[in-house]
């Protein structure tokens, strides 16, 4: 087996199913946490994420290995309308408006193209943004791990050792194996509550009546729409950051091919469908991008498997209960690795682009992005991205021949001058006998 599995490659089902399950483990906690906090149905949220991911894969031509799960950006608004106002249909109207905003911006990008994105998001902006996407999530991972540091440390160690030293198929499922190993050790220490799992067998499947009662058709509520629709701009910017990360990890350019407009179309329609099912708005997940970075398996076929497994989970109570019984510290151990890998991917972007930090402009842009992205408690990544783009457009690089020259251009000029000097010396050097 090669060291990397590319986006278009399809592994046998005996390998694709465990790899898909690995992605499910990575996204499950966050996807069901949102409905738990907001008062929506976890089963419907899982169903929405699975169906939404399939819609996304179809509309992006299966060229982007991204999983769509419940978005955290809308927790406050959803909680207000579902729990406080007891008006879930209004909340779904707000979610529908979010999807409509995505579709409007998709139409604009489809008309005017996406090439300009690379011009306003060069490596000096993209690298720090990618880094803070991972680093801003690490407090969540550390908080989960702090529930039981010995278990978290053990799980993290298993994942790290397998990622480096394992051979064959075992090397590409380190997250799955680490979670199972951590679960076994935690169970031996009496840290796993099996009672909900045993109780789930009294009702193997989610009742169609229960599932139907959880569905909430959207209704028009002006306040809900005004509260949620503007937040779509935040998650769109976060989606852009995720696409930059994916491009760096998978050695592709999803912004150009199949195009960021298709990302918006897929995410927008997925959110529209979720609003009619009664689920929260969905978005691309950093946890699953972290899995790609660790395993180097980029096949979208595995994401298809994850989506199908999520749909099955939404209907089968014991499977949900089994995953819900995984101790928080076990998931904390693996998410430390997943989020950390995203952060270092951003640093790798800066190194590979040979960004010159002796350039004051570059130093300022990176500094501000890191400070805002890590320091701001709410939507720090989005605000840091906006400010980073603005600074890149406003600030000028050091002048050369009266024009601002980007660091990578100056590097090529210096290399060319050096090579010319060497060639000149070679020509003037006397030939030996």
């Amino acid at each position: 087996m090669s060291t990397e599995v590319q986006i278009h490659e399809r592994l046998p089902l005996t390998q694709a199913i465990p790899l898909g399950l690995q992605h499910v483990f990575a996204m499950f906690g966050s996807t069901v946490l949102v409905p738990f906090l907001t008062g929506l149905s976890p089963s419907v949220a899982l169903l929405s994420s699975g169906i939404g991911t399939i819609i996304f894969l179809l509309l992006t031509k299966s060229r982007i290995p991204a999983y769509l799960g419940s978005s955290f950006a809308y927790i406050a608004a959803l909680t207000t309308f579902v729990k406080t106002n007891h008006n879930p249909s209004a909340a779904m109207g707000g979610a529908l408006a979010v999807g409509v905003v995505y579709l409007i911006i998709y139409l604009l990008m489809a008309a005017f193209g996406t090439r300009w994105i690379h011009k306003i998001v060069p490596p000096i902006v993209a690298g720090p943004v990618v880094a803070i996407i991972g680093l801003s999530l690490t407090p969540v991972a550390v908080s989960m791990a702090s529930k039981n540091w010995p278990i978290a440390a053990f799980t993290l160690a298993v994942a790290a050792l397998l990622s480096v030293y394992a051979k064959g198929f075992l090397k590409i499922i380190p997250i799955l194996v680490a979670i199972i190993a951590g679960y076994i050790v935690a169970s031996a220490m009496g840290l796993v509550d099996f009672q909900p799992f045993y109780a789930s067998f009294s009702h193997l499947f989610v009742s169609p009546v229960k599932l139907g009662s959880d569905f909430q058709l959207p209704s028009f509520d002006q306040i809900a729409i005004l509260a949620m629709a503007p937040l779509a701009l935040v998650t769109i910017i976060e989606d852009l950051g995720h696409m930059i990360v994916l491009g760096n990890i998978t050695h592709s350019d999803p912004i150009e091919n199949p195009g960021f407009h298709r990302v918006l179309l897929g995410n927008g329609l997925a959110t529209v469908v979720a609003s009619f099912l009664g689920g929260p708005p969905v978005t691309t997940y950093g946890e699953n991008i972290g899995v790609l970075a660790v395993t180097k398996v980029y096949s979208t076929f595995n994401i298809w498997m994850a989506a199908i497994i999520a749909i099955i989970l939404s209907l089968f109570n014991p499977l949900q209960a089994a995953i819900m019984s995984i101790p928080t510290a076990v998931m904390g151990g693996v998410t430390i690795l997943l989020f950390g890998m995203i952060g270092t991917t951003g640093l790798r972007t800066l190194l590979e682009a040979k960004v010159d930090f002796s350039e004051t402009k570059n130093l300022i842009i990176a500094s501000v992005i890191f400070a805002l992205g890590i320091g701001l408690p709410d939507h720090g990544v989005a605000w840091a991205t906006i400010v980073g783009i603005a600074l890149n457009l406003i600030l000028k690089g050091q002048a050369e021949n009266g024009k601002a020259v980007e660091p990578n251009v100056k590097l090529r000029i210096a290399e060319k001058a050096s090579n010319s000097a060497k060639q000149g010396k070679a020509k003037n050097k006397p030939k030996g006998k």
Side-chain angles (χ1 to χ4, degrees):
M1 181 180 295
S2 62
T3 56
E4 292 186 349
V5 177
Q6 301 304 319
I7 292 173
H8 63 276
E9 293 185 60
R10 178 178 293 193
L11 295 173
L13 283 177
T14 53
Q15 297 180 8
I17 291 175
L19 287 165
L21 186 61
Q22 187 170 236
H23 278 286
V24 170
F25 279 137
M27 68 82 186
F28 188 88
S30 297
T31 294
V32 300
L33 179 60
V34 172
F36 271 126
L37 294 175
T38 59
L40 296 174
S41 166
S43 294
V44 172
L46 274 174
L47 182 64
S48 299
S49 75
I51 293 175
T53 299
I54 290 175
I55 291 172
F56 180 85
L57 290 170
L58 287 171
L59 293 175
T60 56
K61 304 178 181 180
S62 281
R63 292 178 181 172
I64 301 178
Y67 190 91
L68 271 59
S70 305
S71 174
F72 279 66
Y74 306 93
I75 286 178
L78 289 173
T79 302
T80 298
F81 291 100
V82 177
K83 279 190 172 182
T84 306
N85 297 344
H86 305 289
N87 192 355
S89 63
M92 292 304 100
L96 176 60
V98 169
V100 171
V101 172
Y102 264 87
L103 297 179
I104 291 171
I105 298 180
Y106 152 74
L107 292 173
L108 292 173
M109 283 197 175
F112 296 103
T114 57
R115 291 181 180 273
W116 54 272
I117 294 177
H118 286 302
K119 294 181 180 179
I120 68 170
V121 189
I124 184 55
V125 176
V129 167
V130 170
I132 62 173
I133 286 174
L135 297 177
S136 64
L137 291 170
T138 52
V140 177
V142 171
S143 175
M144 294 168 66
S146 65
K147 302 296 182 182
N148 190 306
W149 273 112
I151 292 295
F154 171 77
T155 307
L156 173 59
V158 172
L161 290 171
L162 288 175
S163 298
V164 176
Y165 297 110
K167 303 293 183 182
F169 183 60
L170 196 62
K171 189 177 180 67
I172 63 177
I173 54 169
I175 305 303
L176 178 60
V177 175
I179 291 172
I180 294 173
Y183 188 89
I184 292 172
V185 172
S187 177
M189 295 174 63
L191 301 176
V192 179
D193 181 10
F194 290 103
Q195 188 57 41
F197 176 69
Y198 296 142
S200 67
F201 281 91
S202 62
H203 297 89
L204 289 178
F205 298 97
V206 177
S207 167
V209 175
K210 171 68 169 59
L211 193 61
S213 66
D214 290 331
F215 290 166
Q216 294 290 338
L217 292 176
S219 65
F220 181 84
D221 186 291
Q222 187 175 0
I223 297 177
I225 292 172
L226 292 175
M228 295 180 66
L231 294 176
L233 299 177
V234 174
T235 51
I236 285 172
I237 294 171
E238 291 176 348
D239 279 339
L240 175 60
H242 286 163
M243 291 307 105
I244 296 171
V245 179
L246 275 171
N248 291 335
I249 291 173
T250 62
H251 320 298
S252 63
D253 187 2
I255 293 174
E256 186 65 29
N257 184 16
F260 189 59
H261 62 296
R262 283 188 169 272
V263 172
L264 298 181
L265 176 62
N267 204 333
L269 284 181
T271 296
V272 168
V273 171
S275 71
F276 280 95
L277 293 176
V282 293
T283 187
T284 51
Y285 257 29
E287 291 90 330
N288 298 90
I289 295 173
V291 172
L292 300 177
V294 172
T295 63
K296 301 185 187 303
V297 179
Y298 315 133
S299 171
T300 51
F301 185 63
N302 301 330
I303 307 297
W304 278 91
M305 291 296 103
I308 293 170
I309 292 171
I311 293 172
I312 295 172
L313 279 173
S314 71
L315 304 174
F316 195 55
N317 283 321
L319 290 178
Q320 288 188 48
I323 295 179
M324 288 294 290
S325 69
I326 299 173
T328 303
V330 172
M331 297 307 300
V334 296
T335 50
I336 286 175
L337 177 60
L338 297 180
F339 294 154
M341 287 290 288
I342 296 174
T344 54
T345 298
L347 300 179
R348 189 181 73 181
T349 300
L350 295 171
L351 292 173
E352 290 178 349
K354 298 181 180 179
V355 173
D356 182 9
F357 278 102
S358 66
E359 171 76 66
T360 304
K361 170 186 174 180
N362 293 336
L363 197 60
I364 290 174
I365 292 172
S367 300
V368 173
I369 290 175
F370 275 112
L372 293 178
I374 297 174
L376 289 176
D378 296 317
H379 312 307
V381 173
W383 286 115
T385 304
I386 293 171
V387 173
I389 291 172
L391 287 174
N392 179 65
L393 295 174
I394 294 170
L395 299 178
K396 300 296 182 182
Q398 294 175 358
E400 181 166 322
N401 295 328
K403 295 182 179 179
V405 182
E406 293 296 327
N408 56 341
V409 176
K410 290 194 294 180
L411 182 63
R412 290 197 296 270
I413 292 173
E415 289 176 347
K416 184 176 180 181
S418 176
N419 292 335
S420 298
K422 290 179 181 178
Q423 291 173 2
K425 288 181 180 180
K427 288 181 180 178
N428 294 329
K429 185 177 179 181
K431 293 183 179 180
K433 294 182 179 179

